[in-house]
Amino acid sequence: MTRAVWDLRNLPDLSGRTYLVTGTTAGLGFFSAEHLLRAGAHVIATGRNPNKLALAKVTLLGRVPQASMETLLMDTSKLGSVRAAAATVRARGRLDGLLLNAGVVHPPRTRETVDGNELVFATNVLGHFALAGELLQPLASAQGRMVWVGSVATSLWRYDPLDPQLVSGYTPWRAYVQSKVATTALGLEADRRLREAGVPVTSVVAHPGYSTSGRTPGIRGINEPSRSTRFVDNLQAPISQSKNDGAASLVRALVDPQVGGGELWGPRFLVRGEPRKAVAAALTRDPEVVARLWRTGEDAMGVRWPFEKAARAATPSARRRMPHRPGA
């Protein structure tokens, strides 16, 4: 599928492939799922609210008739929910890709999850770290790919997550930015460890630039910005884009075979534009920061990625055809 220009409206045929997308009830997750469905993929759509998840399914099937999809309840802030959902996915067979999209941008007043973790870090980072580990074997069997959703904020603010649970110095913005630093660092480090262990799964990071609801088409129950939000977001048109367009970087990172493991993809002009390969912030590539965050993920969630089992799960031919990674 080599092409000069990536066209989101003309994706490769994804028939026979299965992708799990977290956080599909609105925003980037909803539109990413729609693009995958239009290309013929089977989509496992997840969300934590059963009513919103049911509405998202009805809406997507209305927009993409005859699409193949199923829904799965999962709250990435809760380890028990993640493990139960992962067990269901493993029992259903093939998994070609995992889009780790669900997240909290504007934290509620309750800062702590039932597992005792800070809510933003748990939802945006820890739950996805656990889910990727739980689904590593089926991904390896299909020579699949995982995509972690980062943020342009990591290039603009350098919050080193020395205190990932923000025991002190908490602000909602700091919680969000450091969660995206951690997401990017773990996504890049995952590829290095997968390659080192001989697991034929690629890990990629993608970010949507500055994608706003006010510049996104209105969809009842999915995207219903107020008039004031529309007005403010349209004033930012030169430096923003719709969430539908922002999903392009995520989808390309997930399905384009020309994308290499250990890469970061985002809009051409940082905040908007067609997807292109980008350079991750130095902080997210710092070996000390990366090692610390990996240990944090393991300790907070009690999850160890099964690298050896995943390597064995792949067929010998799959291991011989391991995808190219930069520096491999």
Side-chain angles (χ1 to χ4, degrees), residues 261-285:
E263 294 180 353
L264 169 67
W265 283 74
R268 179 182 179 187
F269 302 109
L270 186 64
V271 292
R272 65 190 302 268
E274 67 275 11
R276 66 162 177 83
K277 186 177 175 181
V279 178
L283 178 61
T284 65
R285 294 178 280 114

Side-chain angles (χ1 to χ4, degrees), residues 175-193:
Y176 174 74
V177 174
Q178 75 165 19
S179 79
K180 288 304 180 179
V181 169
T183 294
T184 302
L186 290 172
L188 300 177
E189 173 65 5
D191 194 79
R192 187 192 70 78
R193 295 192 183 213

Side-chain angles (χ1 to χ4, degrees), residues 84-113:
T88 299
V89 174
R90 289 196 301 268
R92 292 181 182 176
R94 185 181 181 94
L95 183 63
D96 295 276
L98 183 59
L99 179 54
L100 304 168
N101 163 77
V104 174
V105 179
H106 306 292
R109 292 184 178 182
T110 302
R111 284 185 47 197
E112 193 170 287
T113 71

Side-chain angles (χ1 to χ4, degrees), residues 33-286:
E34 181 177 357
H35 293 308
L36 294 170
L37 291 170
R38 290 190 185 281
H42 176 73
V43 172
I44 303 173
T46 82
R48 62 188 174 190
N49 183 304
N51 294 330
K52 289 183 178 181
L53 191 56
L55 176 61
K57 181 178 181 180
V58 169
T59 305
L60 284 167
L61 292 178
R63 292 166 67 88
V64 191
Q66 280 75 55
S68 175
M69 70 173 295
E70 60 187 293
T71 58
L72 183 63
L73 281 173
M74 180 175 64
D75 184 342
T76 56
S77 74
K78 301 175 181 176
L79 179 58
S81 179
V82 170
R83 282 181 164 159
T88 299
V89 174
R90 289 196 301 268
R92 292 181 182 176
R94 185 181 181 94
L95 183 63
D96 295 276
L98 183 59
L99 179 54
L100 304 168
N101 163 77
V104 174
V105 179
H106 306 292
R109 292 184 178 182
T110 302
R111 284 185 47 197
E112 193 170 287
T113 71
V114 295
D115 299 317
N117 296 307
E118 191 276 316
L119 180 64
V120 177
F121 196 73
T123 305
N124 296 8
V125 185
L126 298 177
H128 285 144
F129 178 84
L131 182 64
E134 293 281 345
L135 295 178
L136 194 56
Q137 288 176 254
L139 281 173
S141 296
Q143 301 176 66
R145 181 178 295 177
M146 60 179 71
V147 173
W148 308 65
V149 179
S151 171
V152 67
T154 62
S155 298
L156 304 176
W157 286 269
R158 292 172 173 79
Y159 289 158
D160 185 347
L162 284 165
D163 177 16
Q165 303 285 4
L166 286 179
V167 176
S168 61
Y170 178 87
T171 68
W173 179 243
R174 188 181 187 95
Y176 174 74
V177 174
Q178 75 165 19
S179 79
K180 288 304 180 179
V181 169
T183 294
T184 302
L186 290 172
L188 300 177
E189 173 65 5
D191 194 79
R192 187 192 70 78
R193 295 192 183 213
L194 289 165
R195 182 173 64 246
E196 186 177 76
V199 179
V201 172
T202 49
S203 179
V204 183
V205 180
H207 77 82
Y210 184 30
S211 300
T212 67
S213 60
R215 299 209 59 216
T216 304
I219 303 174
R220 185 179 296 276
I222 304 298
N223 188 67
E224 299 180 292
S226 65
R227 289 185 178 181
S228 61
T229 296
R230 285 277 188 207
F231 178 76
V232 172
D233 286 0
N234 284 327
L235 289 177
Q236 302 178 92
I239 59 167
S240 65
Q241 62 185 358
S242 72
K243 293 193 176 184
N244 185 43
D245 289 335
S249 295
L250 280 56
V251 174
R252 183 170 190 178
L254 187 65
V255 306
D256 187 349
Q258 301 304 313
V259 172
E263 294 180 353
L264 169 67
W265 283 74
R268 179 182 179 187
F269 302 109
L270 186 64
V271 292
R272 65 190 302 268
E274 67 275 11
R276 66 162 177 83
K277 186 177 175 181
V279 178
L283 178 61
T284 65
R285 294 178 280 114
D286 184 304

Side-chain angles (χ1 to χ4, degrees), residues 16-41:
R17 297 189 182 184
T18 297
Y19 297 93
L20 186 151
V21 181
T22 68
T24 51
T25 58
L28 297 166
F30 178 89
F31 290 108
S32 295
E34 181 177 357
H35 293 308
L36 294 170
L37 291 170
R38 290 190 185 281

